[in-house]
C-alpha cells in the first residue's frame, strides 16, 4: 500500500510537470492535471476493490483484496495519464472507472488464456494504457 501511495504522489508531479504550464497564466493545465490525477485513480481503486473478485471469480474467500485496490489505483493512474490536462474532472472519474473495468476484464482474459502474470503488469500498464489513449479521443 505504501509503495502505491508513494508512486501516486510521484505521478502527480509527473503529470503536472508534463503539462509544461506551471507559470505565466497557463497554469490551469497543471492544475487540471493534478485534479484529474487524484480523481481517476481514486475512482478506479474503489471500483476495483469492490468488483474485481466478482468479475474475475478469484479470491472470493478473501474479504478485503488489497492487491485489487492497489492495482486499481495504478490502473486509474495509467488510464488518465494520456489526457490528464485535457479532460474535465467528471471525465477523469469516468476514465478511471473504465480503466478499472479494463483492468478487471483483462485479468479475466489473461486467466482464461492461461497466461501467468503474477504482478498483473500487462493488465495494468498495457491494457489500461491503450484504453486511456483511446478514451482521450472521446473525452
Amino acid at each position: 500500500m505504501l509503495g502505491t501511495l508513494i508512486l501516486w504522489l510521484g505521478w502527480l508531479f509527473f503529470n503536472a510537470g508534463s503539462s509544461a504550464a506551471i507559470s505565466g497564466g497557463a497554469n490551469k493545465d497543471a492544475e487540471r492535471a493534478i485534479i484529474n490525477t487524484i480523481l481517476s485513480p481514486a475512482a478506479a481503486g474503489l471500483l476495483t476493490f469492490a468488483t474485481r473478485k466478482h468479475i474475475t471469480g478469484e479470491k472470493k474467500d478473501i474479504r478485503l483484496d488489497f492487491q485489487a485496490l492497489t492495482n486499481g489505483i495504478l490502473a486509474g493512474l495509467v488510464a488518465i495519464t494520456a489526457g490528464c490536462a485535457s479532460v474535465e474532472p467528471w471525465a477523469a472519474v469516468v476514465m478511471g472507472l473504465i480503466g478499472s473495468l479494463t483492468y478487471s476484464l483483462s485479468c479475466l482474459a489473461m486467466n482464461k488464456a492461461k497466461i501467468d502474470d503474477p504482478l498483473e503488469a500487462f493488465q495494468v500498464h498495457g491494457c489500461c494504457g491503450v484504453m486511456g489513449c483511446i478514451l482521450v479521443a472521446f473525452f
Side-chain angles (χ1 to χ4, degrees):
M1 285 299 301
L2 182 61
T4 302
L5 295 177
I6 291 170
L7 189 58
W8 193 351
L9 180 64
W11 219 297
L12 284 167
F13 297 131
F14 172 77
N15 281 353
S18 295
S19 68
I22 302 300
S23 63
N27 57 338
K28 297 293 182 195
D29 287 341
E31 291 172 6
R32 182 176 290 171
I34 289 173
I35 289 167
N36 290 342
T37 306
I38 293 170
L39 291 175
S40 178
L46 291 174
L47 183 65
T48 306
F49 190 59
T51 62
R52 184 177 181 275
K53 64 182 172 183
H54 302 293
I55 292 173
T56 62
E58 298 178 322
K59 301 180 182 176
K60 290 211 176 223
D61 57 332
I62 295 175
R63 187 167 167 199
L64 302 173
D65 187 4
F66 285 104
Q67 182 185 5
L69 176 64
T70 57
N71 279 344
I73 289 169
L74 293 176
L77 286 168
V78 171
I80 196 59
T81 297
C84 64
S86 60
V87 299
E88 295 293 324
W90 66 267
V93 172
V94 174
M95 289 174 76
L97 296 175
I98 293 172
S100 169
L101 295 174
T102 301
Y103 162 67
S104 295
L105 291 172
S106 63
C107 287
L108 180 64
M110 293 284 278
N111 290 339
K112 296 264 185 199
K114 297 187 189 231
I115 298 172
D116 187 29
D117 187 0
L119 296 178
E120 298 171 345
F122 175 75
Q123 294 91 317
V124 171
H125 296 283
C127 297
C128 293
V130 169
M131 184 57 72
C133 290
I134 292 169
L135 290 175
V136 172
F138 292 102
F139 294 108

